Amino acid sequence: MKSSDRIRQYSDLGPLERLTFDAVELGSSDTFSEPSSFREAYHAAQRFVSDRQGWLVLSGPSGTGKTLLAAAVGNALVETNQPVRFVSVPDLLDHLRSAFDPAIGAQFDDIFLQAIEAPILILDDLGVQSGTAWADEKLDQILTHRYNRRLPTMVTTGQRFDELNDRLRTRLGDPYFSKLVHIKSGSGTPDIRHSGLDIRLAESMTFDSFTSKGASGASSAQKRSLSEALEAARVFADHPAGWLYLAGPTGVGKTHLAAAIVGESIQHGRNVLFKFIPNLLDDLRRSYGPGGEQSFDNIFAQVRDVDVLILDDLGAEVSTAWAEEKLYQLIVHRHDAIMPTVFTSRIALETIGDPESRITSRYSEAIVSRLTDAKVVAERYLSAPDFRHRGASPRPRATKKNTRRR
């Protein structure tokens, strides 16, 4: 293997190889990040590549371009045959935990040394990891070792500098050794095209177009269930908090209300994602392959950490151990942080505890426990005739008289 290939493999940039300085736009758009602070970070990143000294720390809210610049630095160093190691902090700690076994202690040592002794290290997403004493200890060992030996290091974090603990602030904020740049969030309104919701659905599925009064064939109880669901969705859209679980059979308007929440969230300037769960899992599977447009870590982190998440049609996905594991990680993270989340499903929460229930056999008790947590989850069950047929005349059945012969 050629030296350049070994350096590329060692970098572990993988699908991020496409993110270079040429791919960075330095225009005046402020949709995602405030232009002047992003330009400062961009030029600081380029200086880090040329100087290869000291520490560069980029902070800022999610989506402001920190990982883009970190990957661009890594790729620029690889192109000049400089050995650099790109590491996502949550992934690093996961790898260390999985290798933390006396029987495979050598593997743990190898992973740890790759981070602690890398000639140039890029640590992405510091602060996203679970805050445990063990995780803090490992990170402290890595950063202290590199700080004392003045090894070139780049760090990105979504936390404000004053939110970091004292030891991190001491190392990351050393004015004689570290360059700290904060990328401010943009003031532009989020674009519906970035929400994952089809524009045509966003335009047609609004609160005003939702028929809460029902139509022919809907009972008063069914009309009431629609009114209550509409009100709950409006309240959630105005003040996102906790989880909203919209249940009911096919065609009662669950996805309509979820799409309306997306539209309202966009108007309020919130970051929101709409994901049809089977498609989300397909995207995650594809991201493992070499041809994936985005890395698994980036896609998963985007969904996991977005301000408001809409997960459509829970229970429609193909049940596999891998799929359940990904859903478990996503659900646990957002439940523990009580991050605003909307689920739609054809399965009512009251049936989850039933041994005969489809969902019980498909999802672990850990998932079911969080979905049924009354302190976090509010359920609205929609019961009505099929929304798509509501108010429409039934199609006439074909008879021998009007059926064509072929």
Side-chain angles (χ1 to χ4, degrees), residues 12-29:
D12 205 26
L13 282 161
L16 299 181
E17 292 177 5
R18 61 187 173 79
L19 300 180
T20 66
F21 283 113
D22 291 338
V24 178
E25 296 182 5
L26 283 178
S28 59
S29 173

Side-chain angles (χ1 to χ4, degrees), residues 222-233:
Q222 290 173 333
K223 294 176 184 178
R224 185 167 59 252
S225 76
L226 297 174
S227 296
E228 292 175 352
L230 173 61
E231 178 61 23

Side-chain angles (χ1 to χ4, degrees), residues 16 18 22 37 76 82 108 116 128 133 151 169 219 236 261 298 302 335 345 374:
L16 299 181
R18 61 187 173 79
D22 291 338
S37 63
Q82 297 294 328
F108 176 92
I116 206 169
V128 173
L151 295 173
R169 288 202 304 271
S219 67
F236 184 94
I261 291 173
N298 285 348
Q302 181 187 33
H335 176 272
S345 179

